[in-house]
Amino acid sequence: ILAACLSFIIAGCDSDSDGGSQGKQIESSACFWVGPYNIDHPERNFAYPDTGANYWHAGYTLPEGANLTLHGEYPYARYISLNSYRADTTPATAITDNQIVADDGSYNPFIQDAERQKQRREFTLTVAQGEPSGDLPANTLFDYAKQGDKAVLIYRIYVGDEGQDEQAGFELPAVELTLATGEQLYGQQACDVLQADTEDLAIPLVPKETYAKVRSNPAFDPAKTPAIWRAAYNGTYGFQCNFLGQCAGEPERSVNFYANADNQYISTFLDSNFGEVAVARGKLPRVPQTFKGNAVIDESDSQIRYWSICQNEYYSQVVTDCLFDEQLVTDEEGYYTVVTSRDSFKPNNDNPDCGYNFLPWTEQGDGFGRAVEGGNNKLNEAMLIVRNMLPQEGFAQAIQNTSTPGDEYVIMGEYLPTTEYMSRADFESLGCNI
């Protein structure tokens, strides 16, 4: 396989009985990717990451007349994708695992009924400069960058099979750069010419002066009781609605902060002053089971590809923890209960054995003091985010089907969480939910 054959450009690589690597392989391109962005790397824990996923970014400038090609292998995971981004951090184009045509003689394990453990699994992608003029060609991603400007890609792996590493078993996609002269460059040589990023991404934040002024006025506190879940549209609208109460209109759905184009989001703000424990209940959509290394990918009974609920710091965009679909305990009808509280108020019965799921309260509240030198954190504040990825056509209750602020409850029905506050003692009095 590719991971066993990398180092230099070579002609031919021994293969096992199930396929192995193809003839021509190229040297590792770790220099092209910065990451992983995840909770285990505090310096890269921002932009509301999901603990069920690992992310890597590539920032580069394509020389005039040059072509960029990525050579990769499908990892042992629930999902992969590559997204390109505009300068304002909104997604531009995306290509998802089951859209990626495998190389000749290889196998895409993300196609319905595919065997997930096959070993010959190579693919090749073209990264084109600028914007597409029509339909996207197969295995092609456009970077939406003008000549001489930096482009940004993000590669994502969700739910690597149990026991796999952050890369879910394989090297990250390797780079092949073809210059206008026809010369081909690989590995570090390609990275040097591409001026590939070596530093982490910078993320946009609400201006600290604006946020400090708003958060000093209790009338602008974003948390409500009962909690209100809202679909994400864009950063400006989200701030105006949640903090200023300006929720009217028909905002453009253009989620930024390097969001995944295959996801849509709902969120709610929490305030521990309303109760020691916040309890979210809802119905969990059906997803394909992959985490235990399932032999076949089967979405025939699924409603979406992936679901998660995360506890985040609003201002710093740091994630404290998440639970993804296969980690949740549900009742016999598929309903979950997720409890979140500070550690000092964690109920004794809040555990899977009792039928409940626990998320710790955000470590630094809204995270203002984490992100701004001299700022102070509102430790009573937290933020829950729910993700829906790639809903099936017949799943009408997906977040993706919301279209107007305020229609979340009508569209999502039982799949939209309801959230109430309780004292620790009151929650413990409920006993076990099994």
Side-chain angles (χ1 to χ4, degrees), residues 142-184:
F142 282 81
D143 64 17
Y144 273 64
K146 295 180 180 179
Q147 180 64 52
D149 290 349
K150 187 174 83 168
V152 172
L153 306 177
I154 292 184
Y155 176 60
R156 290 176 166 85
I157 301 175
Y158 277 69
V159 192
D161 288 5
E162 188 174 31
Q164 291 290 348
D165 58 14
E166 293 173 324
Q167 297 172 190
F170 296 100
E171 297 282 346
L172 300 176
V175 175
E176 177 183 353
L177 177 64
T178 303
L179 301 178
T181 61
E183 181 183 5
Q184 292 179 312

Side-chain angles (χ1 to χ4, degrees), residues 329-361:
V329 295
T330 63
D331 64 18
E332 293 180 352
E333 296 181 343
Y335 290 86
Y336 61 84
T337 301
V338 173
V339 181
T340 183
S341 71
R342 298 186 193 180
D343 288 342
S344 57
F345 296 126
K346 186 179 185 299
N348 293 329
N349 58 333
D350 185 12
N351 57 72
D353 291 339
C354 270
Y356 301 118
N357 305 276
F358 179 74
L359 278 177
W361 199 261

Side-chain angles (χ1 to χ4, degrees), residues 67-85:
N67 296 308
L68 181 61
T69 304
L70 300 178
H71 299 272
E73 291 185 276
Y74 307 98
Y76 298 110
R78 171 86 64 82
Y79 162 94
I80 64 167
S81 70
L82 284 102
N83 281 229
S84 63
Y85 290 87

Side-chain angles (χ1 to χ4, degrees), residues 199-269:
E199 302 295 327
D200 299 335
L201 287 170
I203 56 169
L205 296 170
V206 176
K208 60 184 180 181
E209 296 82 4
T210 301
Y211 187 69
K213 183 177 180 180
V214 167
R215 72 198 293 273
S216 66
N217 187 338
F220 296 142
D221 287 347
K224 311 298 179 186
T225 182
I228 300 175
W229 287 86
R230 306 183 194 275
Y233 284 89
N234 60 72
T236 299
Y237 172 82
F239 181 80
Q240 292 174 344
C241 178
N242 288 300
F243 289 90
L244 305 180
Q246 300 173 8
C247 301
E250 298 181 359
E252 177 187 7
R253 177 159 277 169
S254 181
V255 183
N256 53 2
F257 299 117
Y258 297 107
N260 184 353
D262 287 334
N263 283 336
Q264 286 297 337
Y265 313 83
I266 55 172
S267 63
T268 190
F269 288 85

